[in-house]
Each structure stands twice: as structure tokens, then as C-alpha cells.
Amino acid sequence: MRQYSADLTPPWKKSQPAPEVAAEPGLVVEEPGTGFCGAVIRCEAGTVTLEDRFGKHRVFPLQPRGFLLEGRVVTLVRPASGPARPTRTASGSVAVPGARARVARAGRIYVEGRHDAELVEKVWGDDLRIEGVVVEYLEGVDDLPSIVESFGPGPDARLGVLVDHLVPGSKEWRIAQAVTSEHALVVGHPYIDIWEAVKPASVGIEAWPRVPRGVDWKTGVCEALGWRVAHTGEAWKRILDSVHSYKDLEPQLLGRVEELIDFVTAPS
């Protein structure tokens, strides 16, 4: 009678012990039995949770020779105890512990004003430093054609511009159309001001007030909400302090900023 081995251990878990690797947040590995590849987001007693690029989570046991790291069989182990590291940046990207800022690219992203620049820095700052992208502000779009001409966008120096309240037929829209080219991309969000791109619930209000035509929008907002009208700077600090991650921002802004980062960092 033919005898069969009772050893059902998968071949990648056999033979010599594999190197032990700490399952630090952000480490990308593959579970060869299922082919699931993702970044470590949590490691608990006996298990590790991975997240793939589509945001799907899977929990796997910490078994000897249980994972592939850059094609090599490894044994994942719990990291040594210490201060918890963030697994995600404020923009939702996988955090890269210890990553150094890249030397600044020739390409740039311009936004309309200081508040826009501060909001982009707060949410996407970690990503921008790793990519070497500098953000500057324009103080309005009227001078954008001359700025683009002076910058001279090219294959190795792409220029991205984020414009407030970019709607078809507006002055801003016509300027954007005039300067957009293969190496210069102008995109916009529908909000009158960058304040409005922050979700009302995050700020602690039901909705952003409707401000009558002819009234300065920021001043009108402060009046309607009972904030100190003479200090819109204080109002902005209050709004910015309420932003902790991309979840506090409207999707129409998120998509445009991500589009600009991808455009500026695309291979020439």
C-alpha cells in the first residue's frame, strides 16, 4: 500500500529558519499562501494586519517563514516595545518612519494664498517632503501668466497650480485656460475660499454660511458665526487647528491636490 506523508506544511515554510524581521508599521510584505500583499498597520499577539493598495485589510498569524519581503522568505515578529509610530500620514499615505526629505525638485506647486499653503502643508507636508515638492503661494491669480512665463515649465520642471473657486466662464477659469500646457497644470476647487474646503462638522458648525454678494466672504462668515470680525486670522487658526487629516477636508479639494502632486512628480 502506498503511504502518504502527513506533513501538510507549505513548502515555503519548510527547511532552515528564515531571518526574523520586526513587523513595523508601513513594512510591505506578501503572504505567499494567498498572494495578499500589503503594508503592516498593526501587530498584536500572534497576528499581523496588512492593508493593500486598495485599502483592504487582512489578518494573518505570525508563523515561522510566513511572509515574503522583497521576494525573500522571512519570519515576522512583534516589534520591540517603544513609542507608537503613526502608520499613516495626515494625507492617508503609508508613513515611512525615518524617511529623509528629498532634495527639492525643480517643479513647484503654487496655491493662491497663505491659508491655502498652510492647509496643504498640514495635510500633505510629509508626502511633499519625501517627494521633494515645494509649495509657494501667489496672492491671487491675476499675475499667473507672467509667473508661468518666468518659471518656464518643462519636462524636468513641471508646474502645478491650485486655484480657488475655479468655475467655467469665470476670470480665474480664463486665466487657467491661457497658461495650461503639457508641463503646466492648473486645477481648482469649487469653493469661494479655502476655508470652505474644510468640512463644517470638523470645525463644529452645521454648515458654512451663505454670504451676500458684495460682502467680504471671510468677514461675512465671521459675522454669521459670531466670531470676532476684526480678526479673521484668529478664525483661520481656529479652522486650521480643527484639521487633523484628509478626513477633515472635502473630496473636491483632496482630489485636486493629489492630482497636482502626481503631475509634478511624474517621470519626465
Side-chain angles (χ1 to χ4, degrees), residues 195 198 203 208 227 234-243:
W195 291 17
V198 179
V203 184
W208 288 106
W227 296 349
E234 290 183 11
W236 170 242
K237 184 179 185 304
R238 176 176 182 168
I239 296 166
L240 188 62
D241 287 347
S242 71
V243 176

Side-chain angles (χ1 to χ4, degrees), residues 140-241:
V141 299
D142 290 344
D143 296 328
L144 185 55
S146 60
I147 290 174
V148 173
E149 182 179 0
S150 176
F151 184 87
D156 297 317
R158 292 187 168 199
L159 179 63
V161 183
L162 179 68
V163 178
D164 296 342
H165 203 223
L166 189 63
V167 295
S170 66
K171 177 190 71 174
E172 293 82 4
W173 183 82
R174 290 191 294 271
I175 292 175
Q177 292 293 301
V179 301
T180 296
S181 67
E182 181 182 1
H183 305 301
L185 175 65
V186 181
V187 300
H189 56 75
Y191 307 110
I192 295 173
D193 190 273
I194 198 68
W195 291 17
E196 203 177 11
V198 179
K199 291 180 178 178
S202 297
V203 184
I205 59 177
E206 291 186 6
W208 288 106
R210 299 179 70 88
V211 177
R213 285 175 176 257
V215 177
D216 176 74
W217 191 83
K218 290 187 173 93
T219 301
V221 165
C222 290
E223 288 179 342
L225 295 176
W227 296 349
R228 296 178 62 186
V229 177
H231 296 279
T232 56
E234 290 183 11
W236 170 242
K237 184 179 185 304
R238 176 176 182 168
I239 296 166
L240 188 62
D241 287 347

